[in-house]
Amino acid sequence: MGGWAIAVHGGAGVDPNLPIQRQEEARQLLTRCLNIGISALRSSLSPIDVVELVIRELESDPLFNSGRGSALTAKGTVEMEASIMDGVGRRCGAVSGVTTVKNPISLARLVMDKSPHSYLAFSGAEEFAKQQGVEMVDNDYFITEDNLGMLKLAKEANSIIFDYRIPLTGSDICEKAEDAPPLMMNGLPISVYAQETVGCVVVDGQGRCAAGTSTGGLMNKMSGRIGDSPIIGSGTYACDVCAVSCTGEGEAIIRGTLARDVAAVMEYKGLGLQEAVDFVIERRLDGGGQAGLIAVSSKGEVVCGFNSVGMFRGCATEDGFMEVGIWD
């Protein structure tokens, strides 16, 4: 075994005009979360505990699209989803359509640990949360003024593409070029696409892997829409070989079963982690889908890969390596 390793992400697909201040805020948050995970690993917490701990921190900060600060539905509400998976025994839990659970990743963990099921959604997930005594808040807790403004723009102007974290001032809004192709999803044009999601993957010194992913989904999405983040094998996967968390165009990630495919080509083709991530990013995103992922192997390797314009990410290993980045 190669020692412990950890990676975190705050979403793939970054507006190239994202203000420097926001970039620095993102780097600081990713660094803080990495340090939380590193301290936990040094204290011998299990990989699944570290994943939950780090994602709870990401969900509690409004900077990225998960928990507080989640993207809004077309109705102006928040519907969150999350999943978590322990490579030991391939145990997993997932939730969708959560509206009042403060930390969806912890509810997903409870589905895994305290229910006979792997996936609960909407009213069933909310009822289970009440039964388990998890912390509940009003839906308004998750909604920020920035996101309310961005939802308004999304409804009013199909010609504007923006990152939902960009401040609402005229100079900071990125106008779409007249000759640029329309933004598409599943072959249909969409008015706005906020790709940001958060995730964490961990391997400990014994080679045990775990992964988790959490998101508010797409800005201005249809109520009831479910993306890749809660789907085991698409947005999240962990086994005795590796752990993977994906981010980006959910529909493309679902079609490509991106997270599971990394493990599959390692198992069946004998590829190393870097080769597997490269293969999946290059070969499994059809129709021009844009996405990214973070992955660790049971050997202590850590890899980040993406085909989008940037991905908020950070990683660290037991030998002292640590890196936080946004661009290529």
Side-chain angles (χ1 to χ4, degrees):
M1 301 302 172
W4 59 255
I6 180 173
V8 297
H9 73 74
V14 184
D15 192 301
N17 297 310
L18 187 65
I20 297 299
Q21 180 184 347
R22 293 296 178 103
Q23 294 184 39
E24 183 56 30
E25 290 172 355
R27 292 178 191 275
Q28 290 176 2
L29 175 55
L30 292 168
T31 301
R32 185 171 84 237
C33 289
L34 274 180
N35 284 327
I36 288 171
I38 290 168
S39 294
L41 282 163
R42 287 173 175 166
S43 299
S44 299
L45 258 66
S46 69
I48 197 73
D49 287 336
V50 177
V51 165
E52 181 184 2
L53 180 67
V54 169
I55 293 180
R56 282 178 62 92
E57 183 72 15
L58 288 163
E59 288 175 338
S60 299
D61 193 296
L63 184 64
F64 293 134
N65 177 13
S66 68
R68 186 163 180 261
S70 284
L72 306 180
T73 70
K75 295 181 179 180
T77 59
V78 166
E79 293 179 358
M80 300 165 290
E81 47 198 25
S83 63
I84 194 166
M85 189 165 188
D86 191 345
V88 178
R90 287 181 288 184
R91 300 167 59 246
C92 60
V95 293
S96 285
V98 174
T99 60
T100 62
V101 176
K102 187 175 183 180
N103 291 108
I105 193 67
S106 291
L107 184 60
R109 173 78 184 272
L110 286 168
V111 171
M112 179 179 75
D113 288 342
K114 302 294 185 180
S115 87
H117 307 301
S118 295
Y119 196 163
L120 294 176
F122 296 92
S123 61
E126 293 280 335
E127 183 60 32
F128 178 70
K130 293 175 184 176
Q131 293 170 3
Q132 294 299 313
V134 304
E135 186 172 3
M136 314 283 280
V137 293
D138 291 337
N139 197 250
D140 288 348
Y141 163 82
F142 305 102
I143 299 173
T144 65
E145 288 299 319
D146 277 356
N147 283 353
L148 285 171
M150 289 301 172
L151 179 64
K152 183 174 183 291
L153 286 177
K155 289 177 175 295
E156 290 178 350
N158 290 342
S159 62
I160 296 178
I161 296 176
F162 48 79
D163 184 291
Y164 83 101
R165 292 178 307 272
I166 295 178
L168 290 175
T169 61
S171 61
D172 288 323
I173 295 173
C174 180
E175 294 283 348
K176 179 180 173 183
E178 292 183 3
D179 58 350
L183 198 61
M184 307 289 285
M185 181 173 291
N186 275 350
L188 298 173
I190 58 174
S191 60
V192 61
Y193 177 37
Q195 302 179 75
E196 297 75 15
T197 295
V198 304
C200 179
V201 293
V202 173
V203 61
D204 68 6
Q206 300 177 52
R208 299 177 299 181
C209 300
T213 312
S214 180
T215 189
L218 303 178
M219 182 68 76
N220 201 26
K221 66 182 179 181
M222 294 174 63
S223 181
R225 181 261 185 185
I226 295 173
D228 68 287
S229 296
I231 299 178
I232 299 300
S234 291
T236 304
Y237 191 73
C239 60
D240 59 352
V241 173
C242 67
V244 183
S245 173
C246 298
T247 171
E249 185 184 333
E251 279 67 11
I253 294 171
I254 291 170
R255 293 194 301 270
T257 56
L258 229 58
R260 168 57 188 159
D261 242 32
V262 173
V265 295
M266 292 180 73
E267 293 177 45
Y268 305 142
K269 293 174 69 72
L271 299 186
L273 185 64
Q274 183 69 65
E275 293 176 297
V277 169
D278 291 344
F279 179 89
V280 168
I281 293 293
E282 293 171 7
R283 302 282 293 276
R284 292 294 182 262
L285 287 166
D286 59 359
Q290 296 195 1
L293 61 85
I294 53 174
V296 293
S297 76
S298 59
K299 297 178 181 178
E301 302 163 299
V302 59
V303 173
C304 304
F306 55 97
N307 67 352
S308 56
V309 179
M311 180 171 78
F312 297 103
R313 65 200 186 277
C315 59
T317 58
E318 190 171 359
D319 62 10
F321 172 79
M322 183 172 176
E323 181 178 69
V324 173
I326 300 175
W327 314 108
D328 291 343

